[in-house]
Amino acid sequence: MYRILLVDDEILVRDAIRENIDWKAMDCELVGVCENGQEAAEFVKSQEVDIVLTDICMPYMDGMELSHYLHDNYPDIVIVIFSGFSDFEYAKKAIQYDVSEYLLKPVTAMELTGVISRMKEKVEQRKAERRKMESLTQVSQKYHKNALVIRSKAIEELVKCTQDVEVSLKQMKELGIDMDVPSYRVAVFDMDIYSDMYQLEVEKYQESALMAFVLFNISDELVSQANAGVAYQEGSSRVCVLFMGEHTRDFSNRILEICRDIQQKVKEVIGIAVSIGIGSWVKAPDKLLLSYKLAEKAMQYRYLLGGNLLIDMDERKTTQNLSLQEPLEAFVNAMKTGKKETMELMLAKMEQGIKDAYADKSLACVYLQQIVRAVAKAWETVNADSDEITHTREEMIIRITEQKSFQKAIGLVKDYAERVFENMQKYNSSSMQRQAVLAQDYIQNNYMDPGLNLNSICNYLNISTSYFSTIFKEATGETFIEALVRVRMEKARELLEHTTLKNYEIAEKVGFSDPHYFGISFKKMTGKTPTEYAREKRK
C-alpha cells in the first residue's frame, strides 16, 4: 500500500481530490491532508509517506519551500506539484528540488490517477536503489573487517616501498602469497566516473567506495582464476593488480585479456567504465614502485583520449615531439582563402597529431593555444579591432585550460575557428576587398622572393592580371609594384637600422637580385642612399 500525503490550502480542492480518486483500487492510502507546507513538514516527521501531492501557493510554507525541505531531508519521498502558475522559474526550481511531476490546474481525476501510477513506479525504483546501496554497504563493511584489508594494505606497502622490502616480503609469505617469480608488473584500475574528468558531488564520492569494492571482487576473481597474480584495493576508491610470472609475450597477452574481461564484466554488473594502466615489467620486488608509477601515469591520458582505456605502457610508443607549423600554416591560409573543408581537414590533422604524440594536459593545452592564436591572427588580417581580438583570444585560452577533457577543449577551439571563419566570410563579402587583403598578406610573406611579380600573385589568387590590377588599386590606393617596393623598403630600413649587414646582403634579403637597383630604389623612396641612411640611424 502506497502512502500519500495531500497538501493544499483550498478545502474544495482537497475534498475533490480525496473523494474523486479510488485510492483502494490503486493500492494507495491517503494517510494525511494538510493545509500548508509547514503542516506537511511536521507530518512527515512522524508518519511514513511515499508520495506528496502539493500545491505551490500556500501560507506559512509554500509548495516550493516544502519541496526543498523534502529534497534535503527525505530524498526517498516522490513529489508531485500542481499549480495555477506556468511560470518557467517555478518549473526550473521544481527540477532543482527533484520534483517528479509539475501539473497545471485544474487537474482531472483521470490525469491525477495516471500520475500517481507513474509515481508508484518511481517509489519502487528508489526503494530498489536504496536496497542495493544498503546491501553493498553491508558487504563493504564486512569486507573492511576481514583479512582482505590486511592483505591489501600489505601489498600496497610492498608496491609503494613504504616500508623495508624484506619486511614486506615476510608479510607476503605469512599471507600465503608466493613472491618467488622471475618478473612482476603493476596494473592500476580506475573508474572513469569518479576521476578528474567529472565534477563530482559528495554523494558520488561516497558511492565510489562501494563501487570500488565491486571492482575489487571482479578483479580478484578473474586474476585468481587465471593464477596471474593478486588484486588489492588502494585506499577506498581504486583497485590495483600485482601481476606475477615469466616475462613472455604469451603472458603479456594474457594480462591484456584479463584486463579486458574485467572491464567488460564491471560494465555489465554496475554499468561503469574502467580505465586500466599497466606498468612495465620489473625483475625484483624493490623495483615495483617504478612499474606502479608508470601504470599510474597511464591514467593521465584519459584527459587526451577519453575513458575506458587499456594502456600497456610497455607497448605504448615513446612520446614524439610535435610541430604544428606546417598544418597550422595551411589551416590559416585556408581560413584566409575561404576554404572551409581544408580548414577543417587541417584542424582534424592537428587534433590527431596531438593525440598521437600522447601529450599531457599542459602540453596539449599549449598546442591548442597555438591554434587559437593562429585563428586570432587570421582574423586580424581583415579586422583592425585588435582589442576585441585580444579579449576573445585570451578568454578562449583560459576556457581551454579549464576543461576536464581534451575532447571538450578541442570542441571549444573548433567552435571558435568556425565563428571566426564565418565572420571573415561576412567581412570579406566584397570580393574586391577580400582579394586585396589576401594580396597584401601574400606580399608580406613573400617580399624576399626576387621572383615575386604580378603573374605569381595572380596565379595564387586565381584571377587575371588586369582584373587584379584594377581591384588592388581601388582597394589600397597603390599599384602592386608600389606596394611591393614599399614593403621591401620598410624591411630594408629595419635591417639598416638594427643590423650591420652589408648593402648587398640587405638587398638580397628584401628581394633585390641587383644591389645597384636596390640602391637607386632606396634613394628614390627615402631621399638617401642605404649607406647614408644607416650611418644616420646607427649614430
Side-chain angles (χ1 to χ4, degrees):
M1 188 76 74
Y2 296 88
R3 297 172 63 82
I4 296 177
L5 173 64
L6 174 62
V7 189
D8 199 303
D9 63 333
E10 294 181 37
I11 188 169
L12 294 178
V13 173
R14 296 198 303 269
D15 290 346
I17 292 176
R18 180 164 42 198
E19 294 168 8
N20 290 318
I21 301 293
D22 190 348
W23 302 102
K24 192 171 286 187
M26 296 183 66
D27 193 28
C28 292
E29 180 185 359
L30 189 62
V31 294
V33 177
C34 298
E35 294 184 7
N36 56 63
Q38 196 173 78
E39 276 187 25
E42 288 299 318
F43 186 91
V44 297
K45 288 178 183 178
S46 59
Q47 299 286 334
E48 186 179 332
V49 174
D50 296 314
I51 302 168
V52 169
L53 310 175
T54 179
D55 188 19
I56 284 186
C57 290
M58 297 179 293
Y60 306 114
M61 178 189 283
D62 66 24
M64 281 302 169
E65 290 171 325
L66 174 62
S67 298
H68 191 175
Y69 172 82
L70 295 175
H71 173 265
D72 290 349
N73 297 283
Y74 300 90
D76 287 340
I77 292 179
V78 175
I79 306 167
V80 175
I81 284 180
F82 43 87
S83 171
F85 296 89
S86 59
D87 192 295
F88 176 71
E89 285 303 313
Y90 281 108
K92 200 162 63 172
K93 276 191 177 180
I95 293 170
Q96 181 183 339
Y97 301 144
D98 199 24
V99 171
S100 298
E101 289 280 351
Y102 186 96
L103 305 174
L104 291 179
K105 289 183 177 180
V107 181
T108 66
M110 183 180 293
E111 185 180 7
L112 193 55
T113 299
V115 168
I116 292 171
S117 295
R118 292 197 298 275
M119 294 309 101
K120 285 163 53 180
E121 293 176 6
K122 199 147 202 171
V123 169
E124 289 305 314
Q125 285 176 2
R126 291 189 180 181
K127 285 181 178 178
E129 287 170 4
R130 187 173 68 248
R131 286 195 296 269
K132 178 183 174 183
M133 295 302 294
E134 287 172 351
S135 174
L136 284 171
T137 301
Q138 289 171 3
V139 174
S140 179
Q141 287 171 347
K142 288 178 184 177
Y143 160 75
H144 285 293
K145 294 176 184 176
N146 65 26
L148 289 177
V149 176
I150 300 171
R151 188 184 80 166
S152 286
K153 188 173 184 299
I155 301 171
E156 185 177 351
E157 287 175 338
L158 171 64
V159 169
K160 291 186 175 180
C161 297
T162 53
Q163 67 177 2
D164 185 77
V165 174
E166 292 303 320
V167 174
S168 288
L169 289 175
K170 185 180 177 183
Q171 287 179 338
M172 294 299 104
K173 190 172 182 180
E174 291 171 354
L175 290 168
I177 300 172
D178 182 12
M179 297 294 295
D180 187 18
V181 293
S183 299
Y184 314 84
R185 71 192 312 199
V186 180
V188 171
F189 295 67
D190 213 3
M191 292 174 286
D192 293 330
I193 194 171
Y194 306 117
S195 72
D196 290 340
M197 294 168 65
Y198 298 88
Q199 193 74 36
L200 293 186
E201 298 173 353
V202 175
E203 290 81 1
K204 285 293 181 185
Y205 280 115
Q206 294 170 344
E207 180 185 274
S208 67
L210 301 174
M211 297 300 108
F213 178 62
V214 176
L215 171 59
F216 168 78
N217 275 335
I218 292 171
S219 304
D220 186 47
E221 179 186 348
L222 294 180
V223 172
S224 297
Q225 283 177 0
N227 195 28
V230 287
Y232 66 95
Q233 272 201 269
E234 181 184 289
S236 61
S237 61
R238 179 182 275 183
V239 172
C240 300
V241 173
L242 173 57
F243 287 106
M244 298 184 286
E246 196 170 343
H247 180 187
T248 63
R249 171 56 61 184
D250 283 347
F251 190 38
S252 294
N253 288 337
R254 193 148 60 91
I255 287 172
L256 287 171
E257 288 175 13
I258 292 168
C259 290
R260 289 192 194 97
D261 289 344
I262 291 170
Q263 280 182 319
Q264 184 178 345
K265 192 162 184 180
V266 170
K267 188 72 174 175
E268 289 172 359
V269 174
I270 55 177
I272 291 176
V274 175
S275 284
I276 305 172
I278 309 173
S280 57
W281 286 100
V282 294
K283 295 288 187 182
D286 61 355
K287 303 293 183 186
L288 280 170
L289 182 60
L290 299 175
S291 181
Y292 171 81
K293 288 291 185 185
L294 207 54
E296 195 177 41
K297 185 180 179 182
M299 295 299 105
Q300 297 174 12
Y301 294 126
R302 280 188 294 201
Y303 168 80
L304 189 71
L305 305 175
N308 199 35
L309 296 180
L310 175 53
I311 298 180
D312 184 338
M313 295 298 277
D314 269 355
E315 298 294 324
R316 188 184 62 78
K317 296 176 183 177
T318 306
T319 301
Q320 301 292 320
N321 289 328
L322 173 65
S323 173
L324 296 184
Q325 184 177 351
E326 188 179 323
L328 204 53
E329 287 177 356
F331 169 75
V332 171
N333 188 55
M335 290 192 74
K336 292 176 181 177
T337 54
K339 298 174 181 174
K340 188 174 183 181
E341 286 186 10
T342 304
M343 179 193 79
E344 291 172 344
L345 183 65
M346 289 301 104
L347 192 51
K349 184 177 181 180
M350 290 186 283
E351 177 185 356
Q352 192 58 48
I354 295 169
K355 288 182 178 179
D356 291 343
Y358 277 84
D360 60 25
K361 180 176 180 178
S362 59
L363 187 54
C365 286
V366 168
Y367 288 133
L368 294 181
Q369 288 165 10
Q370 284 183 31
I371 300 172
V372 168
R373 290 190 173 97
V375 171
K377 192 173 181 181
W379 180 231
E380 284 175 347
T381 62
V382 297
N383 187 345
D385 189 352
S386 58
D387 288 342
E388 179 196 344
I389 294 164
T390 302
H391 174 73
T392 307
R393 181 192 66 198
E394 296 308 316
E395 184 184 68
M396 186 58 57
I397 286 172
I398 291 170
R399 289 185 65 197
I400 285 169
T401 58
E402 291 174 343
Q403 300 311 303
K404 297 287 186 182
S405 71
F406 177 74
Q407 207 56 42
K408 290 181 180 177
I410 190 69
L412 287 178
V413 174
K414 288 177 179 177
D415 290 343
Y416 178 57
E418 177 83 19
R419 289 200 312 272
V420 171
F421 180 84
E422 295 299 330
N423 286 336
M424 288 176 69
Q425 292 299 100
K426 291 174 185 175
Y427 200 87
N428 288 331
S429 56
S430 165
S431 177
M432 179 180 74
Q433 182 186 34
R434 182 176 175 218
Q435 298 287 8
V437 169
L438 291 173
Q440 288 174 313
D441 190 51
Y442 190 81
I443 291 170
Q444 286 287 340
N445 292 328
N446 297 277
Y447 69 87
M448 68 294 294
D449 178 8
L452 177 59
N453 56 33
L454 188 61
N455 285 327
S456 60
I457 198 167
C458 289
N459 286 336
Y460 167 72
L461 296 172
N462 196 28
I463 57 177
S464 69
T465 54
S466 58
Y467 176 65
F468 170 75
S469 298
T470 301
I471 65 171
F472 191 81
K473 177 74 173 176
E474 280 187 39
T476 66
E478 57 186 351
T479 66
F480 165 71
I481 295 298
E482 288 170 343
L484 176 59
V485 172
R486 174 178 53 75
V487 170
R488 284 173 169 171
M489 291 302 107
E490 287 171 357
K491 302 298 180 182
R493 283 201 297 268
E494 290 176 15
L495 293 172
L496 286 166
E497 289 177 26
H498 303 296
T499 72
T500 58
L501 294 173
K502 305 292 184 184
N503 288 350
Y504 73 87
E505 292 175 315
I506 291 175
E508 184 178 338
K509 284 187 174 294
V510 298
F512 283 88
S513 55
D514 182 354
H516 179 66
Y517 180 59
F518 164 67
I520 293 172
S521 299
F522 190 85
K523 185 169 184 179
K524 183 178 179 183
M525 177 72 75
T526 65
K528 298 179 180 68
T529 67
T531 302
E532 290 169 343
Y533 185 86
R535 190 180 297 122
E536 179 184 304
K537 294 294 182 181
R538 292 176 189 173
K539 281 183 180 179

